[in-house]
Structures are given as structure tokens and as C-alpha cells.
Amino acid sequence: MPDYETLRIVWWALLGVLLVGFAVTDGFDLGIAALLRVLGHDDAERRAVLETVEPVWEGNQVWLILGAGAIFAAWPLLYAAAFSGFYFAMLLALLALIVRPVGFNFRNKFTDARWRGFWDWLLTLHGIVPALVFGVAFGNLFLGVPFRYDETLRLTHEGGFFDLLRPYPLLTGLVSVALLLLHGAAWVAVKSEGVVLARAERAVRLLAPAFVALYVAAGFVLYFGVTGYALQGGSTPAGPSNPLAKTVIVGSNWLVDSPLGGWAVAAAIVALAAALATLPLCGRRHHLAMFVASSVAVSGTIASAGLALFPFLLPSSLDPRSSLTVWDASSSRTTLGLMLLVTALLLPIVLAYTAWVYRVLRGRVSLEHVKQTHGMY
């Protein structure tokens, strides 16, 4: 079995992989829902937009469950602190996610335009709200979350939901929304035809520059206006999971003083280049390449945040010493080792099955097919 330090690093990387998997797959689901009324101007067009994602959305959402399960088992202290501190934000995101299956199932029960319009608006909100909440959560990580541990490791939180809506987290929330809208538009371009395809390409041309501008602005503020955290001592990579056994200094720079800050900047550059690469691919029938580029942009954006924060998982604004890091928030070595073995056996199967599903369901959704299938002629 690998040593404790290696297992912690591996599970930190796996957590990032699961977050990226969720953002890349379920991210375009959210983007498509948010753009539903923009890409589809009548009922047939909106059905066509929804049918680009209806066969795969349930499998995509599995990544969210995997990520939550990995945090619960591999990082129990992080699970407890994050799910308590972001309770109402996560509840809001989950309620919005619940709208998706309900909307898909009930939207087409009646042909009344007001009925379908109501569900179309709910599906639009379902796409925007989680994207905004997830971005706001990431922004709050850089500012610190108001929690602390006492000497018996009893967790205490201060503040509420509206305290999370600070200027910088709201900016990162807009970054998240723009990114996932771009990703959703790229997927619709891959799966659609005709006027829906043309609108998706126009959306990509607008959203790619918007994301780049917002992302650069967020990086500028992070570099010049956000105070970072740094480990000064006390915590050892192979030590026990005790958040209070370390010393944390406040006043550093997340991008300069982080051990992986240089890699974070490199990931950010990759994300920006990938987002800009979607522009020349519009209108040239290179839609799959455009979607791959948007996927790289999503991956690079998340990677840049995780690398800049390393080794911190959840910084504390009340008591920096209570901040959770890779070195003091994990499960035992035995637990991490057994989980790694199970993951090594099962994750390739999940990836292979996912790839097979997407291969079987390849092809475009046409308006003619939608109208014929649902009797809209």
C-alpha cells in the first residue's frame, strides 16, 4: 500500500477528477437548460434542444453523486464543514437540480402553451441557479469560510447564506455561469441542425469572449485584491488528521505563494486558450472539436482553482488554524488505500460504459424528426 502522504495526494487529485467529470458532463446539461428559451423559439425547437441531452443527463449526474461520496469517505472533515457551511446554498442547488427530471417528465404532459412555457422557465432557472451557486462556492474558498474548531474539535459556523454573496464570489459565480453556458451551447452545436445549430454557434461567439473577460477579471482580483493563506508549520504530510496541529499565516498571495501557483497559472492559460479556440471553429462544421475545446476550458478553470488553493481544501476566515488542508482532513491510511483499490477497479468500467453510451447515442437531433415523432406537423 502507498504511504499516507501519497494516498492523500492521490485522493486530492481524484477529487479534482470527479469535480471535473461532473462539470464537463453535467455542466453542459445546465448550460443547455439555461439557454433553452434562447436556442429554441417555439415548442418544436425547444423539444429539439432538450432531446440533445435527455438520453444522457441521468448518467451525467452520477458524477455529482460520486464526488459527494468521495468527499464523505475520503475527506470526512471537509464533508462535515463544507456541507454545514454551505447548507442553504447546496439545498438551493439541489432543489434546482430536482427541477430537471420533474420538468422533463411534466413539460410535455399537456399541449397548453402556458403550461409548457411555465416548465421552460423553470428549466431555465434550473440551469442558471446551480451554475451560479457552484461558482459562488469556489469564490468563497479563496476568501475563507466562517467556521472554526474548538480544542475538542467541535465545529462551529457563523454567518448565513447571504454572507456568502460577497463581491468576489459573485464574480466567480458569473464566471461559472458564462463557462457552463458556453459549454452547453457547444454541445447543442454538436447535436443539432438548422436554425437551432445556427443559434448555438452565435451563442458560442458571444459567450466565449464573455467568459474570457470575466475569468481574467476574477484572476486579476485574486492576484491584487484577495489575501491568501499559507502553511507555516506544524502540519506534516503523513501526520494525523487534526486541523489544529498546524500554523497558518494570512497575508500571502494565492497565485505567487501557493506551492502549485505556477501550475494554477498554466491551467488558467490553457482554459483561456481553449475558450478562445471555440471561436474559429464556429461555422466550419468542426463542432465536436469546439465541444472538446469547451470541455478543456471547463477542466482548466477548475484545475486552476484547485492548484491555487493547494494544500488548502477549505480555508477558515474565523480561525486560519482551523482551515482544512490535504494533510489534516482525510480519512485513515487504510480507508484511503481500500477506496483507491475499489476505484482502480471500478472507475475504468464507469468510463468505458459512459464512452459506449455516448457512442451509441451519437448523431444529431433534427427538427423534422422531432415534429414527426411528436405529431407537430
Side-chain angles (χ1 to χ4, degrees), residues 193-257:
E193 295 179 350
V195 294
V196 175
L197 169 58
R199 292 184 193 126
E201 290 182 329
R202 285 197 296 270
V204 168
R205 293 190 183 99
L206 293 173
L207 290 166
F211 162 71
V212 168
L214 289 167
Y215 190 43
V216 169
F220 183 87
V221 174
L222 180 65
Y223 185 84
F224 291 103
V226 176
T227 301
Y229 290 40
L231 284 178
Q232 192 175 43
S235 181
T236 58
S241 292
N242 181 1
L244 300 182
K246 65 178 179 295
T247 302
V248 176
I249 59 173
V250 180
S252 61
N253 187 292
W254 284 115
L255 297 177
V256 174
D257 300 315

Short mmCIF file of all heavy atoms in Angstrom, two decimals, residues 193-257:
data_model
loop_
_atom_site.label_atom_id
_atom_site.label_comp_id
_atom_site.label_asym_id
_atom_site.label_seq_id
_atom_site.Cartn_x
_atom_site.Cartn_y
_atom_site.Cartn_z
N GLU A 193 -29.28 20.72 -35.68
CA GLU A 193 -29.22 21.09 -37.09
C GLU A 193 -30.03 22.36 -37.29
O GLU A 193 -30.77 22.81 -36.42
CB GLU A 193 -29.81 19.98 -37.97
CG GLU A 193 -29.02 18.68 -37.96
CD GLU A 193 -29.67 17.61 -38.84
OE1 GLU A 193 -30.83 17.84 -39.28
OE2 GLU A 193 -29.04 16.57 -39.06
N GLY A 194 -29.85 22.95 -38.46
CA GLY A 194 -30.70 24.06 -38.88
C GLY A 194 -30.59 25.30 -38.02
O GLY A 194 -29.50 25.71 -37.60
N VAL A 195 -31.76 25.91 -37.75
CA VAL A 195 -31.76 27.18 -37.03
C VAL A 195 -31.25 27.03 -35.60
O VAL A 195 -30.64 27.94 -35.05
CB VAL A 195 -33.17 27.80 -37.03
CG1 VAL A 195 -33.59 28.19 -38.43
CG2 VAL A 195 -34.19 26.85 -36.42
N VAL A 196 -31.51 25.89 -34.97
CA VAL A 196 -31.01 25.66 -33.61
C VAL A 196 -29.49 25.65 -33.60
O VAL A 196 -28.84 26.24 -32.73
CB VAL A 196 -31.59 24.36 -33.03
CG1 VAL A 196 -30.98 24.07 -31.66
CG2 VAL A 196 -33.11 24.45 -32.92
N LEU A 197 -28.90 24.98 -34.59
CA LEU A 197 -27.44 24.96 -34.71
C LEU A 197 -26.90 26.37 -34.93
O LEU A 197 -25.90 26.76 -34.31
CB LEU A 197 -27.04 24.05 -35.88
CG LEU A 197 -25.58 24.09 -36.33
CD1 LEU A 197 -24.64 23.75 -35.19
CD2 LEU A 197 -25.36 23.16 -37.51
N ALA A 198 -27.54 27.13 -35.79
CA ALA A 198 -27.07 28.49 -36.06
C ALA A 198 -27.12 29.35 -34.80
O ALA A 198 -26.19 30.13 -34.53
CB ALA A 198 -27.92 29.13 -37.17
N ARG A 199 -28.17 29.22 -34.01
CA ARG A 199 -28.27 29.99 -32.76
C ARG A 199 -27.22 29.54 -31.75
O ARG A 199 -26.67 30.36 -31.01
CB ARG A 199 -29.67 29.85 -32.16
CG ARG A 199 -30.75 30.52 -32.98
CD ARG A 199 -32.10 30.42 -32.30
NE ARG A 199 -33.17 30.78 -33.22
CZ ARG A 199 -34.23 30.02 -33.47
NH1 ARG A 199 -34.38 28.86 -32.84
NH2 ARG A 199 -35.15 30.40 -34.33
N ALA A 200 -26.95 28.23 -31.71
CA ALA A 200 -25.92 27.74 -30.79
C ALA A 200 -24.56 28.31 -31.15
O ALA A 200 -23.77 28.68 -30.27
CB ALA A 200 -25.89 26.21 -30.83
N GLU A 201 -24.26 28.39 -32.44
CA GLU A 201 -22.98 28.97 -32.86
C GLU A 201 -22.89 30.45 -32.50
O GLU A 201 -21.84 30.93 -32.06
CB GLU A 201 -22.79 28.77 -34.36
CG GLU A 201 -22.54 27.31 -34.75
CD GLU A 201 -22.30 27.15 -36.23
OE1 GLU A 201 -22.88 27.95 -37.01
OE2 GLU A 201 -21.56 26.24 -36.62
N ARG A 202 -23.99 31.17 -32.68
CA ARG A 202 -23.99 32.58 -32.29
C ARG A 202 -23.79 32.73 -30.78
O ARG A 202 -23.10 33.65 -30.32
CB ARG A 202 -25.29 33.25 -32.72
CG ARG A 202 -25.39 33.54 -34.21
CD ARG A 202 -26.47 34.55 -34.51
NE ARG A 202 -27.80 34.06 -34.17
CZ ARG A 202 -28.59 33.38 -35.02
NH1 ARG A 202 -28.16 33.11 -36.24
NH2 ARG A 202 -29.79 33.00 -34.63
N ALA A 203 -24.39 31.83 -30.02
CA ALA A 203 -24.22 31.88 -28.57
C ALA A 203 -22.76 31.64 -28.19
O ALA A 203 -22.22 32.31 -27.30
CB ALA A 203 -25.12 30.84 -27.91
N VAL A 204 -22.10 30.69 -28.86
CA VAL A 204 -20.68 30.44 -28.58
C VAL A 204 -19.86 31.68 -28.87
O VAL A 204 -18.96 32.05 -28.10
CB VAL A 204 -20.19 29.24 -29.42
CG1 VAL A 204 -18.67 29.14 -29.37
CG2 VAL A 204 -20.81 27.94 -28.91
N ARG A 205 -20.16 32.37 -29.98
CA ARG A 205 -19.40 33.58 -30.34
C ARG A 205 -19.55 34.68 -29.30
O ARG A 205 -18.65 35.50 -29.12
CB ARG A 205 -19.86 34.08 -31.71
CG ARG A 205 -19.51 33.15 -32.87
CD ARG A 205 -19.78 33.84 -34.20
NE ARG A 205 -19.51 32.94 -35.31
CZ ARG A 205 -20.43 32.25 -35.97
NH1 ARG A 205 -21.72 32.35 -35.60
NH2 ARG A 205 -20.11 31.46 -36.97
N LEU A 206 -20.69 34.73 -28.63
CA LEU A 206 -20.91 35.73 -27.58
C LEU A 206 -20.36 35.30 -26.23
O LEU A 206 -19.78 36.09 -25.49
CB LEU A 206 -22.40 36.04 -27.46
CG LEU A 206 -23.06 36.75 -28.65
CD1 LEU A 206 -24.56 36.82 -28.43
CD2 LEU A 206 -22.48 38.14 -28.84
N LEU A 207 -20.53 34.02 -25.91
CA LEU A 207 -20.21 33.54 -24.57
C LEU A 207 -18.71 33.32 -24.36
O LEU A 207 -18.21 33.50 -23.25
CB LEU A 207 -20.97 32.25 -24.28
CG LEU A 207 -22.48 32.42 -24.11
CD1 LEU A 207 -23.19 31.07 -24.17
CD2 LEU A 207 -22.78 33.12 -22.79
N ALA A 208 -17.99 32.93 -25.39
CA ALA A 208 -16.55 32.71 -25.24
C ALA A 208 -15.83 34.00 -24.82
O ALA A 208 -15.08 34.00 -23.83
CB ALA A 208 -15.96 32.13 -26.52
N PRO A 209 -16.04 35.13 -25.51
CA PRO A 209 -15.41 36.37 -25.03
C PRO A 209 -15.90 36.81 -23.66
O PRO A 209 -15.13 37.35 -22.86
CB PRO A 209 -15.79 37.40 -26.10
CG PRO A 209 -16.15 36.60 -27.31
CD PRO A 209 -16.74 35.33 -26.79
N ALA A 210 -17.20 36.56 -23.37
CA ALA A 210 -17.72 36.94 -22.05
C ALA A 210 -17.03 36.14 -20.96
O ALA A 210 -16.63 36.71 -19.91
CB ALA A 210 -19.23 36.70 -22.01
N PHE A 211 -16.88 34.84 -21.17
CA PHE A 211 -16.17 34.03 -20.18
C PHE A 211 -14.73 34.49 -20.01
O PHE A 211 -14.23 34.63 -18.89
CB PHE A 211 -16.19 32.56 -20.57
CG PHE A 211 -15.15 31.73 -19.86
CD1 PHE A 211 -15.28 31.45 -18.50
CD2 PHE A 211 -14.02 31.26 -20.54
CE1 PHE A 211 -14.30 30.71 -17.84
CE2 PHE A 211 -13.05 30.53 -19.88
CZ PHE A 211 -13.19 30.25 -18.53
N VAL A 212 -14.04 34.72 -21.11
CA VAL A 212 -12.63 35.15 -21.03
C VAL A 212 -12.51 36.45 -20.24
O VAL A 212 -11.64 36.58 -19.37
CB VAL A 212 -12.05 35.30 -22.45
CG1 VAL A 212 -10.70 36.01 -22.40
CG2 VAL A 212 -11.91 33.94 -23.11
N ALA A 213 -13.38 37.41 -20.53
CA ALA A 213 -13.31 38.69 -19.83
C ALA A 213 -13.57 38.52 -18.33
O ALA A 213 -12.85 39.08 -17.49
CB ALA A 213 -14.32 39.67 -20.44
N LEU A 214 -14.60 37.75 -17.98
CA LEU A 214 -14.92 37.54 -16.57
C LEU A 214 -13.82 36.75 -15.86
O LEU A 214 -13.46 37.06 -14.71
CB LEU A 214 -16.25 36.81 -16.44
CG LEU A 214 -17.50 37.61 -16.82
CD1 LEU A 214 -18.71 36.70 -16.96
CD2 LEU A 214 -17.77 38.69 -15.78
N TYR A 215 -13.28 35.75 -16.53
CA TYR A 215 -12.23 34.91 -15.93
C TYR A 215 -10.96 35.71 -15.69
O TYR A 215 -10.32 35.60 -14.64
CB TYR A 215 -11.97 33.72 -16.84
CG TYR A 215 -11.08 32.65 -16.26
CD1 TYR A 215 -11.23 32.22 -14.96
CD2 TYR A 215 -10.10 32.04 -17.04
CE1 TYR A 215 -10.43 31.21 -14.44
CE2 TYR A 215 -9.30 31.04 -16.54
CZ TYR A 215 -9.46 30.63 -15.23
OH TYR A 215 -8.67 29.64 -14.71
N VAL A 216 -10.58 36.54 -16.66
CA VAL A 216 -9.41 37.40 -16.49
C VAL A 216 -9.65 38.39 -15.35
O VAL A 216 -8.76 38.65 -14.53
CB VAL A 216 -9.09 38.14 -17.80
CG1 VAL A 216 -8.04 39.22 -17.58
CG2 VAL A 216 -8.59 37.14 -18.85
N ALA A 217 -10.85 38.94 -15.28
CA ALA A 217 -11.18 39.87 -14.19
C ALA A 217 -11.07 39.18 -12.84
O ALA A 217 -10.53 39.74 -11.87
CB ALA A 217 -12.57 40.46 -14.39
N ALA A 218 -11.58 37.94 -12.74
CA ALA A 218 -11.51 37.20 -11.48
C ALA A 218 -10.06 36.91 -11.11
O ALA A 218 -9.67 37.01 -9.94
CB ALA A 218 -12.30 35.89 -11.59
N GLY A 219 -9.23 36.55 -12.09
CA GLY A 219 -7.82 36.32 -11.81
C GLY A 219 -7.10 37.58 -11.38
O GLY A 219 -6.25 37.56 -10.49
N PHE A 220 -7.45 38.70 -12.00
CA PHE A 220 -6.85 39.99 -11.64
C PHE A 220 -7.18 40.35 -10.19
O PHE A 220 -6.30 40.74 -9.42
CB PHE A 220 -7.36 41.07 -12.59
CG PHE A 220 -6.76 42.43 -12.37
CD1 PHE A 220 -5.57 42.79 -12.98
CD2 PHE A 220 -7.40 43.36 -11.56
CE1 PHE A 220 -5.01 44.05 -12.78
CE2 PHE A 220 -6.86 44.62 -11.34
CZ PHE A 220 -5.66 44.97 -11.96
N VAL A 221 -8.45 40.19 -9.83
CA VAL A 221 -8.86 40.50 -8.45
C VAL A 221 -8.20 39.53 -7.47
O VAL A 221 -7.76 39.93 -6.38
CB VAL A 221 -10.40 40.43 -8.32
CG1 VAL A 221 -10.83 40.61 -6.86
CG2 VAL A 221 -11.05 41.49 -9.19
N LEU A 222 -8.09 38.26 -7.84
CA LEU A 222 -7.46 37.28 -6.96
C LEU A 222 -6.00 37.64 -6.72
O LEU A 222 -5.50 37.51 -5.60
CB LEU A 222 -7.56 35.88 -7.58
CG LEU A 222 -6.94 34.74 -6.79
CD1 LEU A 222 -7.68 34.54 -5.47
CD2 LEU A 222 -6.94 33.45 -7.59
N TYR A 223 -5.33 38.09 -7.75
CA TYR A 223 -3.90 38.41 -7.62
C TYR A 223 -3.67 39.69 -6.82
O TYR A 223 -2.78 39.74 -5.95
CB TYR A 223 -3.28 38.54 -9.01
CG TYR A 223 -1.79 38.76 -8.99
CD1 TYR A 223 -0.91 37.69 -8.90
CD2 TYR A 223 -1.25 40.05 -9.07
CE1 TYR A 223 0.46 37.88 -8.88
CE2 TYR A 223 0.11 40.25 -9.04
CZ TYR A 223 0.96 39.17 -8.95
OH TYR A 223 2.33 39.38 -8.92
N PHE A 224 -4.48 40.70 -7.08
CA PHE A 224 -4.21 42.01 -6.48
C PHE A 224 -5.10 42.34 -5.27
O PHE A 224 -4.73 43.20 -4.47
CB PHE A 224 -4.40 43.12 -7.52
CG PHE A 224 -3.36 43.13 -8.59
CD1 PHE A 224 -3.64 42.63 -9.85
CD2 PHE A 224 -2.09 43.63 -8.35
CE1 PHE A 224 -2.69 42.63 -10.85
CE2 PHE A 224 -1.12 43.64 -9.33
CZ PHE A 224 -1.41 43.14 -10.59
N GLY A 225 -6.25 41.66 -5.13
CA GLY A 225 -7.18 42.10 -4.11
C GLY A 225 -7.63 41.08 -3.10
O GLY A 225 -8.41 41.41 -2.20
N VAL A 226 -7.16 39.83 -3.20
CA VAL A 226 -7.59 38.79 -2.27
C VAL A 226 -6.38 38.29 -1.48
O VAL A 226 -5.36 37.92 -2.07
CB VAL A 226 -8.25 37.60 -3.01
CG1 VAL A 226 -8.61 36.49 -2.03
CG2 VAL A 226 -9.50 38.08 -3.75
N THR A 227 -6.51 38.28 -0.18
CA THR A 227 -5.43 37.82 0.69
C THR A 227 -5.41 36.31 0.75
O THR A 227 -6.45 35.67 0.97
CB THR A 227 -5.60 38.39 2.10
OG1 THR A 227 -5.61 39.82 2.03
CG2 THR A 227 -4.46 37.94 3.01
N GLY A 228 -4.22 35.74 0.58
CA GLY A 228 -4.09 34.30 0.58
C GLY A 228 -3.65 33.73 1.92
O GLY A 228 -3.31 34.47 2.85
N TYR A 229 -3.67 32.41 2.01
CA TYR A 229 -3.26 31.69 3.21
C TYR A 229 -2.03 30.86 2.86
O TYR A 229 -1.85 30.44 1.72
CB TYR A 229 -4.36 30.74 3.69
CG TYR A 229 -5.59 31.39 4.28
CD1 TYR A 229 -6.13 32.54 3.71
CD2 TYR A 229 -6.24 30.84 5.36
CE1 TYR A 229 -7.27 33.13 4.23
CE2 TYR A 229 -7.40 31.41 5.89
CZ TYR A 229 -7.89 32.56 5.31
OH TYR A 229 -9.02 33.15 5.83
N ALA A 230 -1.21 30.58 3.87
CA ALA A 230 -0.03 29.74 3.67
C ALA A 230 0.26 28.97 4.94
O ALA A 230 0.08 29.47 6.06
CB ALA A 230 1.18 30.58 3.27
N LEU A 231 0.71 27.73 4.79
CA LEU A 231 1.13 26.92 5.93
C LEU A 231 2.50 27.38 6.39
O LEU A 231 3.42 27.53 5.60
CB LEU A 231 1.20 25.44 5.54
CG LEU A 231 -0.12 24.68 5.43
CD1 LEU A 231 0.15 23.24 4.98
CD2 LEU A 231 -0.87 24.68 6.74
N GLN A 232 2.63 27.57 7.70
CA GLN A 232 3.92 27.97 8.25
C GLN A 232 4.61 26.82 8.97
O GLN A 232 5.83 26.79 9.08
CB GLN A 232 3.74 29.15 9.21
CG GLN A 232 5.04 29.81 9.62
CD GLN A 232 4.80 31.05 10.46
OE1 GLN A 232 3.97 31.04 11.35
NE2 GLN A 232 5.52 32.13 10.16
N GLY A 233 3.84 25.85 9.44
CA GLY A 233 4.45 24.73 10.13
C GLY A 233 3.43 23.98 10.96
O GLY A 233 2.27 24.36 11.07
N GLY A 234 3.88 22.87 11.54
CA GLY A 234 3.05 22.08 12.44
C GLY A 234 2.34 20.93 11.77
O GLY A 234 2.17 19.87 12.37
N SER A 235 1.92 21.10 10.53
CA SER A 235 1.21 20.04 9.81
C SER A 235 2.19 19.25 8.96
O SER A 235 3.00 19.83 8.24
CB SER A 235 0.13 20.65 8.91
OG SER A 235 -0.58 19.64 8.23
N THR A 236 2.14 17.93 9.07
CA THR A 236 3.04 17.07 8.31
C THR A 236 2.23 16.23 7.33
O THR A 236 1.11 15.80 7.65
CB THR A 236 3.85 16.15 9.24
OG1 THR A 236 2.93 15.36 10.01
CG2 THR A 236 4.72 16.97 10.17
N PRO A 237 2.77 15.96 6.14
CA PRO A 237 2.02 15.21 5.13
C PRO A 237 1.55 13.84 5.57
O PRO A 237 0.55 13.34 5.07
CB PRO A 237 3.02 15.10 3.97
CG PRO A 237 3.92 16.28 4.15
CD PRO A 237 4.05 16.47 5.62
N ALA A 238 2.25 13.22 6.51
CA ALA A 238 1.87 11.89 6.97
C ALA A 238 1.36 11.91 8.40
O ALA A 238 1.25 10.86 9.04
CB ALA A 238 3.06 10.94 6.87
N GLY A 239 1.00 13.09 8.90
CA GLY A 239 0.57 13.22 10.28
C GLY A 239 -0.90 12.91 10.46
O GLY A 239 -1.63 12.63 9.50
N PRO A 240 -1.38 12.95 11.70
CA PRO A 240 -2.80 12.67 11.98
C PRO A 240 -3.70 13.78 11.46
O PRO A 240 -3.27 14.91 11.24
CB PRO A 240 -2.84 12.59 13.51
CG PRO A 240 -1.69 13.44 13.96
CD PRO A 240 -0.62 13.26 12.92
N SER A 241 -4.96 13.45 11.26
CA SER A 241 -5.93 14.43 10.75
C SER A 241 -6.45 15.28 11.90
O SER A 241 -7.54 15.07 12.43
CB SER A 241 -7.07 13.71 10.02
OG SER A 241 -6.62 13.10 8.85
N ASN A 242 -5.66 16.25 12.26
CA ASN A 242 -6.00 17.19 13.32
C ASN A 242 -5.79 18.61 12.80
O ASN A 242 -4.66 19.07 12.69
CB ASN A 242 -5.14 16.95 14.56
CG ASN A 242 -5.50 17.90 15.70
OD1 ASN A 242 -6.41 18.73 15.58
ND2 ASN A 242 -4.76 17.80 16.80
N PRO A 243 -6.86 19.32 12.43
CA PRO A 243 -6.69 20.65 11.84
C PRO A 243 -5.98 21.65 12.74
O PRO A 243 -5.40 22.63 12.24
CB PRO A 243 -8.14 21.09 11.58
CG PRO A 243 -8.93 19.84 11.54
CD PRO A 243 -8.26 18.91 12.50
N LEU A 244 -6.02 21.44 14.04
CA LEU A 244 -5.44 22.42 14.96
C LEU A 244 -3.95 22.20 15.21
O LEU A 244 -3.35 22.94 15.98
CB LEU A 244 -6.20 22.39 16.29
CG LEU A 244 -7.69 22.70 16.21
CD1 LEU A 244 -8.31 22.69 17.60
CD2 LEU A 244 -7.93 24.05 15.53
N ALA A 245 -3.36 21.21 14.58
CA ALA A 245 -1.95 20.91 14.80
C ALA A 245 -1.04 21.62 13.81
O ALA A 245 0.02 21.12 13.47
CB ALA A 245 -1.73 19.40 14.74
N LYS A 246 -1.44 22.78 13.35
CA LYS A 246 -0.63 23.50 12.37
C LYS A 246 -0.70 24.99 12.63
O LYS A 246 -1.52 25.47 13.43
CB LYS A 246 -1.14 23.21 10.95
CG LYS A 246 -2.54 23.73 10.66
CD LYS A 246 -2.94 23.45 9.22
CE LYS A 246 -4.35 23.95 8.93
NZ LYS A 246 -5.38 23.23 9.68
N THR A 247 0.14 25.72 11.94
CA THR A 247 0.14 27.18 11.99
C THR A 247 -0.09 27.71 10.59
O THR A 247 0.55 27.27 9.64
CB THR A 247 1.48 27.71 12.52
OG1 THR A 247 1.73 27.17 13.82
CG2 THR A 247 1.46 29.23 12.60
N VAL A 248 -1.03 28.64 10.47
CA VAL A 248 -1.38 29.22 9.17
C VAL A 248 -1.17 30.73 9.24
O VAL A 248 -1.59 31.37 10.20
CB VAL A 248 -2.85 28.92 8.79
CG1 VAL A 248 -3.22 29.61 7.48
CG2 VAL A 248 -3.06 27.42 8.68
N ILE A 249 -0.52 31.27 8.23
CA ILE A 249 -0.34 32.72 8.16
C ILE A 249 -1.25 33.28 7.08
O ILE A 249 -1.51 32.64 6.07
CB ILE A 249 1.12 33.11 7.88
CG1 ILE A 249 1.59 32.49 6.55
CG2 ILE A 249 2.03 32.67 9.02
CD1 ILE A 249 2.98 32.98 6.13
N VAL A 250 -1.76 34.47 7.34
CA VAL A 250 -2.63 35.17 6.40
C VAL A 250 -1.90 36.40 5.90
O VAL A 250 -1.30 37.13 6.67
CB VAL A 250 -3.96 35.59 7.08
CG1 VAL A 250 -4.86 36.32 6.09
CG2 VAL A 250 -4.67 34.37 7.64
N GLY A 251 -1.92 36.61 4.59
CA GLY A 251 -1.22 37.76 4.02
C GLY A 251 -0.40 37.39 2.81
O GLY A 251 0.29 38.25 2.25
N SER A 252 -0.48 36.14 2.39
CA SER A 252 0.26 35.70 1.22
C SER A 252 -0.58 35.92 -0.04
O SER A 252 -1.67 36.50 0.01
CB SER A 252 0.65 34.22 1.36
OG SER A 252 -0.52 33.43 1.47
N ASN A 253 -0.09 35.43 -1.16
CA ASN A 253 -0.79 35.56 -2.44
C ASN A 253 -1.08 34.16 -2.95
O ASN A 253 -0.18 33.33 -3.05
CB ASN A 253 0.07 36.34 -3.44
CG ASN A 253 -0.68 36.63 -4.73
OD1 ASN A 253 -0.98 35.75 -5.51
ND2 ASN A 253 -0.97 37.91 -4.96
N TRP A 254 -2.35 33.90 -3.29
CA TRP A 254 -2.74 32.55 -3.70
C TRP A 254 -1.96 32.09 -4.93
O TRP A 254 -1.61 30.91 -5.03
CB TRP A 254 -4.23 32.50 -4.01
CG TRP A 254 -5.13 32.49 -2.83
CD1 TRP A 254 -6.03 33.45 -2.47
CD2 TRP A 254 -5.25 31.45 -1.84
NE1 TRP A 254 -6.70 33.09 -1.33
CE2 TRP A 254 -6.25 31.85 -0.92
CE3 TRP A 254 -4.61 30.23 -1.65
CZ2 TRP A 254 -6.62 31.08 0.18
CZ3 TRP A 254 -4.98 29.44 -0.57
CH2 TRP A 254 -5.96 29.88 0.33
N LEU A 255 -1.67 32.98 -5.85
CA LEU A 255 -1.02 32.58 -7.09
C LEU A 255 0.50 32.58 -7.00
O LEU A 255 1.16 31.83 -7.72
CB LEU A 255 -1.47 33.50 -8.24
CG LEU A 255 -2.96 33.46 -8.58
CD1 LEU A 255 -3.28 34.45 -9.68
CD2 LEU A 255 -3.39 32.06 -8.99
N VAL A 256 1.04 33.39 -6.11
CA VAL A 256 2.50 33.50 -6.02
C VAL A 256 3.07 32.57 -4.96
O VAL A 256 4.07 31.88 -5.19
CB VAL A 256 2.90 34.96 -5.70
CG1 VAL A 256 4.41 35.06 -5.46
CG2 VAL A 256 2.48 35.88 -6.83
N ASP A 257 2.43 32.51 -3.80
CA ASP A 257 2.99 31.77 -2.67
C ASP A 257 2.47 30.34 -2.55
O ASP A 257 3.02 29.56 -1.77
CB ASP A 257 2.68 32.52 -1.37
CG ASP A 257 3.28 33.92 -1.37
OD1 ASP A 257 4.44 34.05 -1.76
OD2 ASP A 257 2.57 34.87 -1.00
#
